[in-house]
Amino acid sequence: MKFIDGKKLSRDILEKVKEEVAKLSFKPIFCDVLVGEDPASLQYVRMKAKKAESIGIRFHSANFPASISTEDLVTEIHKLNQVENMCGIIIQLPLPLPIDKRAVLDAIDSRLDVDCLGALAGEEFYKGESKTGFPTALACMALLDSIGLELKGKKIVALGQGELVGKPVLALLRFRGLDALPVTRKTENKEELLKNADVIISGIGHGKHITGDMIKVEVVLIDAGTSESSGAIVGDVDLESVTDKASYVSPVPGGVGPVTVAMLLN
């Protein structure tokens, strides 16, 4: 079994983005809107800010108190839409209650919605008309592409139909003319589909759910799930039990995560 090195792939992607940014006649701006002071969210925003600045993208800080109303936050986002050279805006989730998440996400100009979570941006994506996409789903595809696997004719399964991974990754595969099947709790023959799959892309967030007895030899596992187990972050794949069966696995951490940030900035 080989690990797909997401950290290296992330560096390679960001290096190319850095070269592209250097050719621009202006300095692009990226904004991550943070509401409240959740430590984990704050740390994640700082990391993205550091990555953006390292490749020549200016980071615009937009921090608001947890007490802000939905109406006021929407107004602030409309202001951010108008900032000169603004090229991407995302909302750090989760938002504090009782803020209306849908109203806030939909306030982002669809041309700047690089998380693709606004209704219009999502609609354009699923029609194949968007220049942006869901970064985690794009990261899954980038990891697959990095191993040079010929996907035509392969049995591909997307475990889970979440908004960030399962649904958009199926769309990305479909855009390439590939057949892929969704597997959810309600799928009647899910055990059979997983057992016969050549590629499994998982984003269910159920720690160590995929074990060696569930998969076939030489399967490729793209693990986009994260959960906590005994104080550590783990993925959907039980790495120990799949060692002798899988051909490639994207590890957690160090797989999809770093590439997601790279695809976001890309």
Side-chain angles (χ1 to χ4, degrees):
M1 182 182 78
K2 295 181 180 179
F3 285 120
I4 309 175
D5 190 345
K7 292 181 180 179
K8 180 183 183 303
L9 180 57
S10 174
R11 289 193 297 269
D12 293 344
I13 294 169
L14 290 175
E15 189 58 40
K16 291 179 182 178
V17 177
K18 185 177 182 178
E19 292 173 3
E20 292 180 18
V21 169
K23 296 175 184 177
L24 297 174
S25 60
F26 66 97
K27 195 174 183 70
I29 299 172
F30 166 65
C31 179
D32 193 338
V33 177
L34 177 64
V35 181
E37 298 179 352
D38 176 71
S41 294
L42 187 58
Q43 183 179 3
Y44 195 32
V45 170
R46 285 172 178 164
M47 182 271 290
K48 284 181 280 189
K50 186 176 180 181
K51 290 287 185 185
E53 295 283 359
S54 73
I55 60 172
I57 295 175
R58 181 185 156 206
F59 182 78
H60 182 95
S61 179
N63 297 352
F64 303 101
S67 58
I68 193 170
S69 67
T70 298
E71 183 180 1
D72 287 345
L73 185 55
V74 165
T75 298
E76 293 295 337
I77 292 168
H78 286 160
K79 292 178 184 177
L80 292 170
N81 287 335
Q82 303 303 317
V83 172
E84 187 177 6
N85 297 333
M86 182 64 75
C87 290
I89 299 173
I90 67 173
I91 309 297
Q92 189 63 43
L93 300 175
L95 287 167
L97 294 174
I99 293 175
D100 183 342
K101 182 177 80 168
R102 175 47 52 203
V104 171
L105 292 172
D106 288 350
I108 302 173
D109 186 320
S110 64
R111 296 169 299 176
L112 305 177
D113 188 356
V114 287
D115 251 351
C116 230
L117 292 178
L120 182 55
E123 182 181 331
E124 291 172 347
F125 170 80
Y126 284 108
K127 287 181 178 178
E129 300 172 353
S130 177
K131 293 182 179 179
T132 59
F134 294 82
T136 307
L138 290 170
C140 291
M141 296 304 298
L143 286 160
L144 269 179
D145 290 340
S146 73
I147 62 174
L149 181 69
E150 174 55 65
L151 294 175
K152 285 186 179 179
K154 293 289 191 294
K155 294 178 180 177
I156 307 172
V157 161
L159 184 57
Q161 274 292 276
E163 186 178 36
L164 302 180
V165 183
K167 288 176 65 178
V169 86
L170 281 177
L172 290 171
L173 290 163
R174 188 174 67 249
F175 294 156
R176 294 190 185 189
L178 299 166
D179 290 325
L181 294 172
V183 172
T184 68
R185 291 177 182 176
K186 296 180 180 179
T187 304
E188 293 182 2
N189 59 334
K190 62 181 178 182
E191 290 83 7
E192 181 184 352
L193 290 173
L194 290 171
K195 194 76 172 181
N196 292 323
D198 299 303
V199 177
I200 299 173
I201 302 169
S202 182
I204 58 175
H206 186 171
K208 300 184 179 182
H209 175 74
I210 301 173
T211 54
D213 61 327
M214 298 169 61
I215 58 175
K216 74 175 188 178
V217 175
E218 294 295 296
V219 68
V220 175
L221 300 170
I222 304 297
D223 190 348
T226 56
S227 53
E228 190 173 325
S229 176
S230 302
I233 298 297
V234 298
D236 292 344
V237 176
D238 182 0
L239 293 176
E240 288 186 15
S241 73
V242 304
T243 299
D244 296 328
K245 295 189 80 172
S247 57
Y248 287 93
V249 177
S250 66
V252 176
V256 173
V259 184
T260 295
V261 177
M263 298 310 291
L264 171 72
L265 295 174
N266 183 58

